[in-house]
Amino acid sequence: MEIGRLLTAMVTPFDADGTVDYAQAKRLALALLDSGSDGVVLAGTTGESPTLSHDEKMRLFVEVKEAVGSRGVVVAGTGTYNTAESVELSREAERLGVDAVLLTCPYYGRPSQEGLFRHFEMIARSVSLPCIMYNIPGRTGVNMTVETQVRLSQIENVAGVKEASGNLAQIAQIIDESRPGFRVWSGDDQMTLPVLSIGGYGVISVVSHLAGAQVRDIVQSYLAGHVEEASRIHRRLLPLMTVLMTAAGNPGGVKHALNGIGFRVGAPRLPLVEPDEAAAELIMAEVRRQPIDLAMAV
């Protein structure tokens, strides 16, 4: 299955009372496709998955997939630090019709490399969907090594990995040694161009909420051999990529930016909070400086 080179790790919109706004989630997914994304990742870290109930996740998957149809890919975040629960969530998501699942490295427990291998192997073998692993040691406390990822790449429906280790040497080795067709998406907007330059496939992006057409241009320009054009766009967007991640954390930064341009997605759920006044102004100052290409006519 063609999953796509640009996926947006979509925020989960909430109403003023903190309930999931499914109608707005559908509008946002369609707007992201109109702005250049090949698909969306739902209930990932940016989608505040730890605060979503099982029922909220499943309804989100169903409603967004029904809205998107065949226009784009819907990837369901079904990985947790509980292998059995991840298997259950993944099987149910498959029954509901999503296109692929995203499986984060188990967090908090910090399993061994053999534990990581068995965790992902069990989930992948429980479904027929493409499975994208997610390596983000800064959040999970454990790095999935090259050797483990190469082993897992031999499983037919392990389609690839969202790599956010920040270690280009590791990422290059994964690309070099994994089975043909195993794909590596950058899991960090700031690393998109460097990852492409060593053979990466694409990016699972946050800044694409605001600049999807431009992120798509980075990928397509690079692939077409227009490296200077890709570099120029990447350099211009770097301050926005940075402020969205650092001023108020993720997804606090991108949610504030979306609200600020008039696309209402609500506040984060506790324990995450909205940015303070200083952080909010930093975010919006950079948003005002940049060309924003989110399709607002929804």
Side-chain angles (χ1 to χ4, degrees):
M1 177 190 175
E2 181 54 56
I3 296 174
R5 293 183 184 271
L6 170 56
L7 303 175
T8 296
M10 196 178 97
V11 301
T12 301
F14 297 128
D15 290 330
D17 63 0
T19 60
V20 177
D21 187 340
Y22 298 100
Q24 192 71 334
K26 291 186 284 188
R27 294 185 193 102
L28 179 57
L30 292 171
L32 292 169
L33 296 182
D34 288 341
S35 301
S37 292
D38 297 307
V40 294
V41 177
L42 304 177
T45 306
T46 306
E48 300 177 70
S49 58
T51 75
L52 296 176
S53 71
H54 177 280
D55 289 345
E56 287 174 328
K57 290 178 183 178
M58 295 305 143
R59 183 176 170 188
L60 187 65
F61 300 158
V62 168
E63 296 218 13
V64 172
K65 183 56 190 174
E66 286 179 350
V68 167
S70 60
R71 287 189 53 200
V73 172
V74 171
V75 181
T78 58
T80 74
Y81 60 7
N82 179 330
T83 306
E85 179 186 32
S86 301
V87 167
E88 179 186 353
L89 289 170
S90 301
R91 284 175 170 167
E92 188 165 353
E94 181 171 30
R95 287 194 296 270
L96 295 175
V98 304
D99 300 298
V101 292
L102 181 75
L103 308 169
T104 189
C105 276
Y107 38 92
Y108 187 72
R110 301 179 71 176
S112 67
Q113 293 301 309
E114 183 62 24
L116 290 174
F117 176 82
R118 293 187 192 182
H119 171 82
F120 287 114
E121 179 189 37
M122 182 169 287
I123 302 167
R125 296 199 188 284
S126 74
V127 295
S128 60
L129 289 174
C131 298
I132 302 172
M133 303 180 296
Y134 183 14
N135 186 38
I136 181 163
R139 285 187 182 266
T140 64
V142 61
N143 177 55
M144 185 163 45
T145 64
V146 172
E147 293 74 18
T148 301
Q149 295 196 44
V150 170
R151 284 179 73 193
L152 286 162
S153 79
Q154 304 308 312
I155 300 171
E156 185 178 3
N157 65 322
V158 176
V161 63
K162 177 184 178 182
E163 248 293 342
S165 65
N167 185 334
L168 279 175
Q170 169 173 297
I171 296 169
Q173 194 174 351
I174 292 164
I175 293 167
D176 192 49
E177 297 182 11
S178 296
R179 66 162 168 79
F182 182 82
R183 289 166 174 170
V184 176
W185 288 266
S186 173
D188 178 350
D189 282 306
Q190 294 178 327
M191 295 291 284
T192 299
L193 191 56
V195 169
L196 288 172
S197 75
I198 57 172
Y201 185 70
V203 59
I204 300 178
S205 174
V206 172
V207 78
S208 55
H209 282 91
L210 304 168
Q214 296 165 77
V215 177
R216 188 174 188 85
D217 284 346
I218 292 171
V219 176
Q220 292 183 336
S221 294
Y222 182 82
L223 294 173
H226 306 308
V227 177
E228 180 51 42
E229 174 65 9
S231 301
R232 183 187 64 79
I233 302 168
H234 198 269
R235 290 194 304 270
R236 189 186 69 236
L237 285 177
L238 273 172
L240 181 60
M241 297 172 182
T242 301
V243 78
L244 291 180
M245 290 292 126
T246 60
N250 184 43
V254 69
K255 275 198 152 183
H256 182 77
L258 286 167
N259 289 327
I261 65 171
F263 203 113
R264 304 303 301 176
V265 293
R269 279 180 173 172
L270 288 172
L272 302 181
V273 296
E274 294 179 282
D276 61 27
E277 186 176 347
E281 179 49 37
L282 280 175
I283 293 164
M284 293 312 299
E286 187 57 39
V287 169
R288 290 189 292 268
R289 197 181 72 83
Q290 295 278 357
I292 301 300
D293 50 43
L294 179 65
M296 298 290 288
V298 294

